[in-house]
Amino acid sequence: MPPETLHLHHGDCLEVLPTLGAGSHDLVVTSPPYNLGIAYRSYDDTRSRTEFLDWCRQWAREVKRVLADDGSFFLNVGAAPSNPLFPHQVLLALTEELFVLQNTFHWIKSITVETRAGEPISVGHFKPINSKRFVNDCHEYVFHLTKTGNVPLDRRAAGVPYQDKSNIARWGHTGGQDLRCRGNTWFIPYETIQSRDKERPHPATFPVALVEQCVRLHGKGEATRLIDPFLGIGSSAVAATRMNLATFTGIELDERYLGVARERVAADS
């Protein structure tokens, strides 16, 4: 995408978002701090639950203002095994008056499946925990929020081929295409890295492919005007560049993370 359509802002999203035009973006893909004590460089991730949820309502209100009426807001939220209600508390706070929950996706980071021959295959990456109470947490939520709950999606753009090819002719809704809706479980592993400090210095990131999936599903293609109010090290900016989107706006509080985001975009251009 041309440099003039890429807007990376250093600052607090509560200060930058009000400077943007109402309805100026089609798509929001973001992951805010989780209030789980994560060691960010410039943000205190240990607020009280009430204070944190009030803060979420503040920035979500501005997100709704800058989002087009037919726009989509994909909110990635994870949890700690000892705090499993957290994603749902955030969701309830944002759907009390602001948004409608249209879809819930499960971002699968790691999974083990068996082949038809009974052979187990394990793929993906997860952070193992040593616990007698909890199992390893291998997924996060992606909540699809809209203003009305009636926003059309391009399900096939984010689809997968049929495993049983006879379904293509047997089911009329296929239109003869070997592509079906992927559903609400997305297996998107992290890319393998050699050094976390050098390649993934932010403590909580999502893969570029996760953003690309949201862009495809929303269905506006290269005309998409994407915004990420919690840019981090720039996965959404890299996705916008790779997909040649019309515009991208990113906001990041920490100057170092923003610098890494700029470097990633430049390296990918």
Side-chain angles (χ1 to χ4, degrees), residues 203-220:
T205 61
F206 48 58
V208 173
L210 181 68
V211 185
E212 293 173 335
Q213 184 76 338
C214 296
V215 173
R216 294 188 194 100
L217 187 62
H218 187 58
K220 290 189 178 292

Side-chain angles (χ1 to χ4, degrees), residues 122-181:
S122 295
V123 289
H125 306 276
F126 64 93
K127 183 179 181 180
I129 61 173
N130 184 14
S131 172
K132 293 183 178 180
R133 295 187 296 157
F134 305 117
V135 299
N136 292 328
D137 190 3
C138 301
H139 103 294
E140 293 188 13
Y141 293 97
V142 179
F143 297 122
H144 174 222
L145 304 167
T146 61
K147 292 184 178 182
T148 64
N150 295 311
V151 172
L153 299 174
D154 190 346
R155 306 195 316 161
R156 285 184 181 171
V160 294
Y162 282 94
Q163 184 173 21
D164 184 349
K165 303 304 181 184
S166 66
N167 288 333
I168 301 170
R170 185 166 66 246
W171 293 345
H173 67 264
T174 68
Q177 297 185 48
D178 184 14
L179 204 62
R180 66 168 177 82
C181 174

Side-chain angles (χ1 to χ4, degrees), residues 15-94:
E15 297 177 358
V16 178
L17 283 170
T19 69
L20 306 178
S24 57
H25 294 79
D26 311 293
L27 181 63
V28 182
V29 182
T30 199
S31 183
Y34 292 169
N35 205 44
L36 298 175
I38 294 174
Y40 296 101
R41 282 172 38 89
S42 304
Y43 173 79
D44 180 7
D45 199 40
T46 57
R47 305 182 185 200
S48 71
R49 183 54 48 88
T50 299
E51 183 183 7
F52 177 77
L53 293 178
D54 285 343
W55 174 72
C56 286
R57 293 184 187 95
Q58 291 177 49
W59 58 256
R61 191 171 292 109
E62 281 301 317
V63 164
K64 181 178 181 180
R65 187 187 64 81
V66 303
L67 188 64
D69 288 342
D70 63 346
S72 287
F73 173 17
F74 288 90
L75 176 68
N76 165 226
V77 186
S82 59
N83 194 5
L85 286 178
F86 172 74
H88 310 288
Q89 291 173 326
V90 174
L91 177 65
L92 288 173
L94 269 56

Side-chain angles (χ1 to χ4, degrees), residues 1-2 5 215 221-226 239-241 243-248:
M1 59 192 302
T5 65
V215 173
E222 292 187 357
T224 302
R225 300 169 297 170
L226 173 62
T241 301
M243 302 183 82
N244 197 33
L245 302 188
T247 64
F248 174 78

